[in-house]
Amino acid sequence: MALEAGLLDILACPACHAPLKEQDTDLLCTAANCGLAYPVRDGIPVLLVDEARRPA
């Protein structure tokens, strides 16, 4: 998965506002106490807390 250049720089976790990082097909919250994984569908990040999951 490759997001558009610069997009990852402006995205933040909707739950805790920490930066996100790419991992496989998800965007992961970098905050240790949050750690939610948001899916990316058809190149579009789905930044809804209800759609997020805790990574295994």
Side-chain angles (χ1 to χ4, degrees), residues 3-20:
L3 293 177
E4 193 172 311
L7 184 59
L8 196 56
D9 294 336
I10 61 171
L11 294 178
C13 176
C16 71
H17 308 291
L20 298 171

Side-chain angles (χ1 to χ4, degrees), residues 1-52:
M1 163 193 71
L3 293 177
E4 193 172 311
L7 184 59
L8 196 56
D9 294 336
I10 61 171
L11 294 178
C13 176
C16 71
H17 308 291
L20 298 171
K21 67 177 181 178
E22 288 184 84
Q23 184 177 26
D24 300 325
T25 60
D26 294 327
L27 292 178
L28 294 179
C29 177
T30 58
N33 60 344
C34 182
L36 291 174
Y38 298 93
V40 177
R41 296 185 187 127
D42 298 323
I44 301 169
V46 181
L47 297 177
L48 300 172
V49 176
D50 292 341
E51 295 282 326

